[in-house]
Amino acid sequence: MNDEIAPTLIAAAREAARNAHAPYSSFAVGAALLMTDGSIVTGTNFENASYGLSLCAETVAVARANAEGRLREIVAIGIVGGMMRGGVAHGTDPIRPCGRCRQILNEAAQMGGRDLVVYCGGAEGEAVEAH
């Protein structure tokens, strides 16, 4: 994977995180999927008062790709998150996918016949490649 794509994915994920619906945790998460044609599909977290009904940004992005008939085209993902203050996410600690999202991402990658590259970042700062 070309590491030059990491900043692009992280920037798209940060932009998506601005649309997070996080009234309970105030923690915004954004995800950006790189597709085989170079396009990007984004998602953001969507919380619900019943925690189990909340949706992670990664799941939203993968579901969106699936709804567009593009599930097998996922090549890489960038994920960021941070606490909301003044309508903007803050923090430099990279976040990583939860177990449910890891499974969803793994199965999507298997369907595409490739290893998925995962870039993790905070709402600010540099991204790291997760293994």
Side-chain angles (χ1 to χ4, degrees):
M1 171 59 54
N2 182 345
D3 285 336
E4 293 176 13
I5 194 62
T8 301
L9 285 177
I10 293 300
R14 286 181 176 145
E15 184 63 28
R18 299 178 83 184
N19 297 319
H21 179 70
Y24 305 102
S25 71
S26 296
F27 194 86
V29 180
L33 300 172
L34 175 66
M35 309 307 282
T36 54
D37 67 358
S39 64
I40 294 176
V41 174
T42 61
T44 188
N45 58 320
F46 189 88
E47 292 181 354
N48 185 278
S50 173
Y51 181 75
L53 298 179
S54 294
L55 300 172
C56 297
E58 304 93 320
T59 299
V60 171
V62 171
R64 186 171 167 202
N66 183 56
E68 295 174 6
R70 305 182 68 195
L71 189 59
R72 289 175 172 79
E73 299 176 32
I74 300 170
V75 175
I77 186 170
I79 307 158
V80 301
M83 291 300 295
M84 296 292 289
R85 288 191 309 271
V88 178
H90 295 277
T92 58
D93 291 335
I95 65 162
R96 295 184 176 4
C98 70
R100 180 178 99 170
C101 288
R102 288 174 192 239
Q103 184 63 31
I104 287 169
L105 291 167
N106 182 50
E107 289 186 25
Q110 286 178 3
M111 290 178 71
R114 66 184 57 85
D115 291 330
L116 183 71
V117 179
V118 180
Y119 298 103
C120 302
E124 305 160 303
E126 299 295 317
V128 296
E129 185 174 340
H131 298 280

